[in-house]
Amino acid sequence: MQQAAAHEPVSAGRLRQLIAEGRAVVLTNAVHRPPKTCAVGAELRTKVNANIGTSKDYADLARELRKLAAAEGAGADAVMDLSTGGDIDAIRKEIIARATVPVGSVPIYSAGAKITGRGKKIVDMTASDMLDAVRQHMADGVSFVTIHCGVTRGVLRSMEESRRVCGIVSRGGTFLTRWIQHNRQENPLYERYDELIDMAREYDVTFSLGDGFRPGCLADSMDRAQMHELMVLAELRDRAVAAGVQVIIEGPGHVPIDQIEAQVKIEKELCHGAPFYVLGPIVTDVAPGYDHITSAVGGAIAAAAGADFLCYVTPSEHLSLPDEEQVRVGVIAARIAAHAGDIGKKVPGAADWDREFSGLRRRRDWAGQLERCIDPIMARQVREHGRPTDDDVCSMCGEYCVFKLADEADD
């Protein structure tokens, strides 16, 4: 708590109180504490997570480690390993060993990959397969785990009645929905939630309660299934916090811009202020290749409304597995959204960065601007590409630079 609070506008004592109330978490693990501890929640800076991980087509550990380095270099506060291809266990362990920030994971992915790797189907998983995967991830050292406990038979009925355009777009949600429908049983992650609580308490791991019914397009946003699942997650949050386990609530998804603030406030009300972790949200469905922008628009609004944790979206979202540069760009876009949101919700110190930077701009301190901006790499590239004749100005305004003219007038 002391380490995390050192980077926040609150004291360690205040952070401890927020954690006790279930309004903040510290991402760590009893058997593997990340070098850079990260706190997420009320009164804190909005954090950014970067998803990395293999797929069947690209199961290259070296590539994922380059993406990890790109995410950390761009300023991600945490990463999630979403690997579904190759030696998933070995990849996860290596990412945890190399990461300097907290690492999250989705255990149902590896449970599903192992069962299909034995020539069986997702629906052939046992309850023990699912719970064993959660324990294995915790024992390996992940700091937070996504568990889709809200995918219940009751919520599934709500979804089936909603006539969605895109149905279920969560992989974990799809795995469990198929399992429930085939086996005609309740979700084991819901039925045996107390066992999961015991695991999380043992390893001091944070639950990230997954939204298996998040909207995958604007038309599906805020339907009964999404809201029903959120109410289930709210109850599960209360049970975990009462047992001494930290909890984050995961959120959408694709959301019309006019619904974002309402969705954040509903989550905060139903879940008693639990940290809200949103994917974007993406504010239009029609911009593949630019979803780092569509998500940054939604992320800024969500953060200003009270969202605490932004999951980045890269330009390759909906199109392909991202490469290192797309990871870097995605992190920067999410960081811009997070910082804009922090200014909007008046996080102490957030606006000071902008005021300091504006002073550098007014003084035409180019070295200072390139050092203190959110993405020095891009800023330097653009500056060099359009190098002015006079290094005292930029090549757009040149001798007509308003700041230079003002200084000359003062002289």
Side-chain angles (χ1 to χ4, degrees), residues 47-51 80 82 277-281 295 309-313 330 334:
K47 303 305 186 302
V48 170
N49 172 74
N51 290 338
M80 289 195 79
L82 307 186
Y277 176 28
V278 295
L279 177 63
S295 66
F309 202 14
L310 304 184
C311 186
Y312 87 160
V313 176

Short mmCIF file of all heavy atoms in Angstrom, two decimals, residues 47-51 80 82 277-281 295 309-313 330 334:
data_model
loop_
_atom_site.label_atom_id
_atom_site.label_comp_id
_atom_site.label_asym_id
_atom_site.label_seq_id
_atom_site.Cartn_x
_atom_site.Cartn_y
_atom_site.Cartn_z
N LYS A 47 -6.02 4.10 -14.34
CA LYS A 47 -4.95 3.22 -14.82
C LYS A 47 -5.28 2.64 -16.20
O LYS A 47 -6.44 2.60 -16.62
CB LYS A 47 -4.72 2.08 -13.82
CG LYS A 47 -4.38 2.55 -12.41
CD LYS A 47 -3.19 3.49 -12.39
CE LYS A 47 -2.75 3.86 -10.99
NZ LYS A 47 -3.79 4.50 -10.19
N VAL A 48 -4.23 2.15 -16.87
CA VAL A 48 -4.35 1.59 -18.21
C VAL A 48 -3.79 0.18 -18.24
O VAL A 48 -2.67 -0.06 -17.76
CB VAL A 48 -3.62 2.47 -19.25
CG1 VAL A 48 -3.52 1.76 -20.60
CG2 VAL A 48 -4.32 3.81 -19.40
N ASN A 49 -4.56 -0.74 -18.79
CA ASN A 49 -4.10 -2.12 -18.99
C ASN A 49 -3.90 -2.39 -20.48
O ASN A 49 -4.67 -1.90 -21.32
CB ASN A 49 -5.13 -3.12 -18.45
CG ASN A 49 -4.76 -4.54 -18.83
OD1 ASN A 49 -3.84 -5.13 -18.27
ND2 ASN A 49 -5.48 -5.11 -19.80
N ALA A 50 -2.89 -3.20 -20.79
CA ALA A 50 -2.63 -3.62 -22.17
C ALA A 50 -2.76 -5.13 -22.28
O ALA A 50 -2.11 -5.86 -21.53
CB ALA A 50 -1.23 -3.19 -22.61
N ASN A 51 -3.60 -5.60 -23.18
CA ASN A 51 -3.73 -7.03 -23.42
C ASN A 51 -2.67 -7.50 -24.41
O ASN A 51 -2.49 -6.90 -25.47
CB ASN A 51 -5.11 -7.36 -24.01
CG ASN A 51 -6.23 -7.17 -23.02
OD1 ASN A 51 -6.01 -7.20 -21.82
ND2 ASN A 51 -7.44 -6.98 -23.52
N MET A 80 -2.37 -7.87 -19.38
CA MET A 80 -3.06 -9.15 -19.25
C MET A 80 -2.56 -10.10 -20.31
O MET A 80 -2.42 -9.72 -21.49
CB MET A 80 -4.58 -8.98 -19.38
CG MET A 80 -5.24 -8.28 -18.21
SD MET A 80 -7.05 -8.48 -18.19
CE MET A 80 -7.19 -10.15 -17.52
N LEU A 82 -3.56 -12.99 -22.49
CA LEU A 82 -4.76 -13.64 -23.00
C LEU A 82 -4.41 -14.76 -23.97
O LEU A 82 -5.16 -15.05 -24.90
CB LEU A 82 -5.66 -12.61 -23.70
CG LEU A 82 -6.03 -11.35 -22.91
CD1 LEU A 82 -7.04 -10.51 -23.68
CD2 LEU A 82 -6.59 -11.72 -21.54
N TYR A 277 -13.66 -1.41 -14.48
CA TYR A 277 -12.63 -1.71 -15.49
C TYR A 277 -13.34 -1.84 -16.83
O TYR A 277 -14.08 -2.80 -17.05
CB TYR A 277 -11.94 -3.00 -15.08
CG TYR A 277 -10.89 -3.57 -16.02
CD1 TYR A 277 -10.15 -2.78 -16.87
CD2 TYR A 277 -10.63 -4.94 -16.00
CE1 TYR A 277 -9.19 -3.33 -17.69
CE2 TYR A 277 -9.66 -5.51 -16.81
CZ TYR A 277 -8.94 -4.70 -17.66
OH TYR A 277 -7.99 -5.25 -18.47
N VAL A 278 -13.15 -0.88 -17.74
CA VAL A 278 -13.90 -0.87 -18.98
C VAL A 278 -13.01 -1.12 -20.19
O VAL A 278 -11.85 -0.70 -20.22
CB VAL A 278 -14.67 0.47 -19.16
CG1 VAL A 278 -15.72 0.61 -18.09
CG2 VAL A 278 -13.74 1.67 -19.14
N LEU A 279 -13.56 -1.80 -21.18
CA LEU A 279 -12.87 -2.06 -22.45
C LEU A 279 -13.25 -0.95 -23.41
O LEU A 279 -14.29 -0.99 -24.06
CB LEU A 279 -13.27 -3.42 -23.01
CG LEU A 279 -12.67 -3.78 -24.36
CD1 LEU A 279 -11.16 -3.89 -24.28
CD2 LEU A 279 -13.27 -5.08 -24.89
N GLY A 280 -12.45 0.07 -23.47
CA GLY A 280 -12.80 1.27 -24.26
C GLY A 280 -13.48 2.27 -23.35
O GLY A 280 -12.82 2.91 -22.52
N PRO A 281 -14.82 2.40 -23.43
CA PRO A 281 -15.70 1.72 -24.38
C PRO A 281 -15.63 2.32 -25.79
O PRO A 281 -15.35 3.51 -25.96
CB PRO A 281 -17.10 1.93 -23.78
CG PRO A 281 -16.98 3.14 -22.95
CD PRO A 281 -15.58 3.18 -22.43
N SER A 295 -12.11 4.00 -29.03
CA SER A 295 -12.09 3.60 -27.63
C SER A 295 -11.54 4.71 -26.74
O SER A 295 -11.96 4.85 -25.58
CB SER A 295 -11.26 2.33 -27.43
OG SER A 295 -9.90 2.56 -27.71
N PHE A 309 -10.23 2.06 -14.47
CA PHE A 309 -9.24 1.22 -15.14
C PHE A 309 -9.68 1.09 -16.59
O PHE A 309 -10.80 0.64 -16.87
CB PHE A 309 -9.25 -0.15 -14.45
CG PHE A 309 -8.01 -0.99 -14.61
CD1 PHE A 309 -6.83 -0.50 -15.09
CD2 PHE A 309 -8.06 -2.33 -14.22
CE1 PHE A 309 -5.70 -1.30 -15.21
CE2 PHE A 309 -6.94 -3.15 -14.33
CZ PHE A 309 -5.76 -2.64 -14.82
N LEU A 310 -8.84 1.51 -17.52
CA LEU A 310 -9.15 1.41 -18.95
C LEU A 310 -8.35 0.29 -19.58
O LEU A 310 -7.12 0.27 -19.48
CB LEU A 310 -8.83 2.73 -19.66
CG LEU A 310 -9.47 4.01 -19.14
CD1 LEU A 310 -9.08 5.19 -20.04
CD2 LEU A 310 -10.98 3.88 -19.04
N CYS A 311 -9.03 -0.63 -20.22
CA CYS A 311 -8.34 -1.64 -21.03
C CYS A 311 -8.13 -1.04 -22.41
O CYS A 311 -9.09 -0.61 -23.06
CB CYS A 311 -9.15 -2.92 -21.13
SG CYS A 311 -8.25 -4.24 -21.97
N TYR A 312 -6.89 -0.99 -22.84
CA TYR A 312 -6.60 -0.38 -24.13
C TYR A 312 -7.24 -1.15 -25.27
O TYR A 312 -7.63 -2.31 -25.14
CB TYR A 312 -5.10 -0.25 -24.34
CG TYR A 312 -4.36 -1.44 -24.93
CD1 TYR A 312 -3.12 -1.25 -25.53
CD2 TYR A 312 -4.86 -2.73 -24.90
CE1 TYR A 312 -2.40 -2.31 -26.08
CE2 TYR A 312 -4.16 -3.79 -25.47
CZ TYR A 312 -2.94 -3.58 -26.05
OH TYR A 312 -2.23 -4.62 -26.59
N VAL A 313 -7.39 -0.49 -26.40
CA VAL A 313 -7.82 -1.11 -27.65
C VAL A 313 -6.81 -0.67 -28.70
O VAL A 313 -6.43 0.50 -28.75
CB VAL A 313 -9.25 -0.67 -28.03
CG1 VAL A 313 -9.65 -1.25 -29.38
CG2 VAL A 313 -10.25 -1.11 -26.95
N GLY A 330 -1.80 1.67 -28.97
CA GLY A 330 -2.99 1.45 -28.15
C GLY A 330 -2.81 1.95 -26.73
O GLY A 330 -3.72 2.55 -26.15
N ALA A 334 -4.92 5.04 -24.88
CA ALA A 334 -5.63 4.83 -23.62
C ALA A 334 -5.10 5.75 -22.53
O ALA A 334 -5.87 6.23 -21.67
CB ALA A 334 -5.50 3.37 -23.20
#
